[in-house]
Amino acid sequence: MTSQPPGEPGTQAVPTCYRHPDREAHVRCQRCERPICPDCMRDASVGFQCPECVAEGNKSVRQARSVFGGGAVAAPRVTWALLIVNVLAYFVETIATQQVVSRFAMEAGFVAYRHEWWRLITGAFLHSPLSSGGFALTHILFNMWALYAIGPELERRLGSARFLALYLLSALGGSVAVYLLSAAPVVGASGAIYGLFGALFVVGRRLGYDVRGVIWLIGLNVVITFTIPGISWQGHLGGLVIGAVVSAILVYAPARNRNAVQWAGCAAVLLVLIAMVLLLPPFVFNDFHGIPDFYGYRG
């Protein structure tokens, strides 16, 4: 028998996949030209590419962003998470009203003298207990409806992380205002909700929308705040002011170094709020001979 000269039919080796050497590969990657088997073929604009070239190409693709620099939001998950946390907190509160509200409601004296700092945030996730009577149920219903109505739009405009920062700083702003100006125990997400009202106005102005409806919304709620007994105007207005300030930082940050400016601005607001609590005494001091009756909590 005589061997066939190189290059004649039947003598060339069948190419194999560079990732799976035991598999035949009759297709080459359009970018690197390495042979790839069917399992490694990735659709490209022309032909197929290998997994490594696809991953490398994705690195150079600009990720979708929200209007003001945050990541694009397909579903407002932060809004839904906040709704769930508030509702779950109210469920737990309903089961053990005295213990939960007394331990976690916002009250200036406990923050100042017992250093129960968590009250500055936890009070914003509680609401008037059913056992307090009056408009107790409407308290959480209105706040959750407002969060459901305007939260998703703001989250899509700002991005999830920035929206969460806005919500929490607004809640903290409301608590700090209560700390400085009120002796009454306070519960409710209203400070955060009013912060979203303020943000809705600022975002609308920045985008050139007609914001007269938002002005009416804010005005009506401010009137309600001062006309219905048992409402903490301090928490409402504190949240409104901080929400407007934080949203202004987020939407008016210059395009250059926008992320750094936005997060530095939010950090500055946080530091100012913390300093106000640490350096300033509460406006009215409470008597600490016992835990206040939760029936007197404001929203």
Side-chain angles (χ1 to χ4, degrees):
M1 296 180 63
T2 59
S3 60
Q4 293 177 314
E8 292 188 8
T11 64
Q12 295 178 348
V14 176
T16 58
C17 177
Y18 81 99
R19 299 178 75 234
H20 304 99
D22 58 330
R23 302 180 186 178
E24 294 184 3
H26 299 282
V27 175
R28 292 183 177 274
C29 171
Q30 292 295 311
R31 294 187 66 178
C32 66
E33 296 188 351
R34 289 179 292 188
I36 48 179
C37 66
D39 287 342
C40 295
M41 294 163 55
R42 302 291 185 267
D43 287 325
S45 56
V46 177
F48 299 94
Q49 294 183 7
C50 65
E52 280 77 4
C53 287
V54 170
E56 186 66 26
N58 288 338
K59 292 180 181 179
S60 62
V61 176
R62 189 186 183 110
Q63 297 298 316
R65 310 295 293 177
S66 66
V67 176
F68 299 111
V73 175
R77 293 186 176 86
V78 170
T79 299
W80 306 142
L82 290 171
L83 278 164
I84 292 171
V85 171
N86 275 278
V87 172
L88 288 178
Y90 196 69
F91 176 76
V92 173
E93 177 187 336
T94 301
I95 297 175
T97 301
Q98 180 74 42
Q99 297 84 347
V100 173
V101 178
S102 298
R103 185 60 173 166
F104 296 104
M106 172 56 206
E107 187 174 359
F110 284 110
V111 173
Y113 289 124
R114 296 188 181 179
H115 306 301
E116 297 179 357
W117 311 113
W118 61 84
R119 292 176 179 268
L120 293 162
I121 289 295
T122 57
F125 287 93
L126 301 178
H127 289 82
S128 300
L130 287 173
S131 55
S132 63
F135 298 98
L137 188 59
T138 61
H139 188 204
I140 186 171
L141 289 179
F142 171 78
N143 284 339
M144 295 304 98
W145 173 84
L147 178 57
Y148 170 81
I150 66 178
E153 178 65 17
L154 285 174
E155 185 174 348
R156 290 188 178 96
R157 297 290 185 181
L158 300 173
S160 295
R162 289 161 177 78
F163 174 75
L164 180 61
L166 167 69
Y167 186 93
L168 294 178
L169 286 173
S170 297
L172 181 59
S175 294
V176 171
V178 170
Y179 174 85
L180 295 175
L181 302 171
S182 174
V186 174
V187 292
S190 300
I193 298 302
Y194 271 66
L196 300 187
F197 289 162
L200 194 63
F201 172 79
V202 173
V203 170
R205 284 293 301 271
R206 183 68 176 88
L207 295 176
Y209 294 159
D210 184 351
V211 295
R212 287 176 293 182
V214 181
I215 295 174
W216 277 103
L217 174 67
I218 295 174
L220 176 62
N221 280 277
V222 170
V223 171
I224 293 174
T225 296
F226 284 99
T227 55
I228 297 181
I231 294 180
S232 173
W233 63 266
Q234 300 91 342
H236 288 193
L237 297 189
L240 178 66
V241 170
I242 294 301
V245 170
V246 172
S247 59
I249 292 171
L250 296 175
V251 306
Y252 285 101
R256 184 176 182 181
N257 299 321
R258 179 162 57 182
N259 286 344
V261 172
Q262 288 173 331
W263 290 116
C266 290
V269 172
L270 176 62
L271 291 176
V272 169
L273 292 174
I274 292 174
M276 293 174 74
V277 174
L278 294 178
L279 301 178
L280 299 175
F283 183 69
V284 179
F285 298 95
N286 291 344
D287 182 3
F288 294 107
H289 295 299
I291 296 176
D293 183 355
F294 61 83
Y295 286 101
Y297 278 77
R298 295 171 178 265

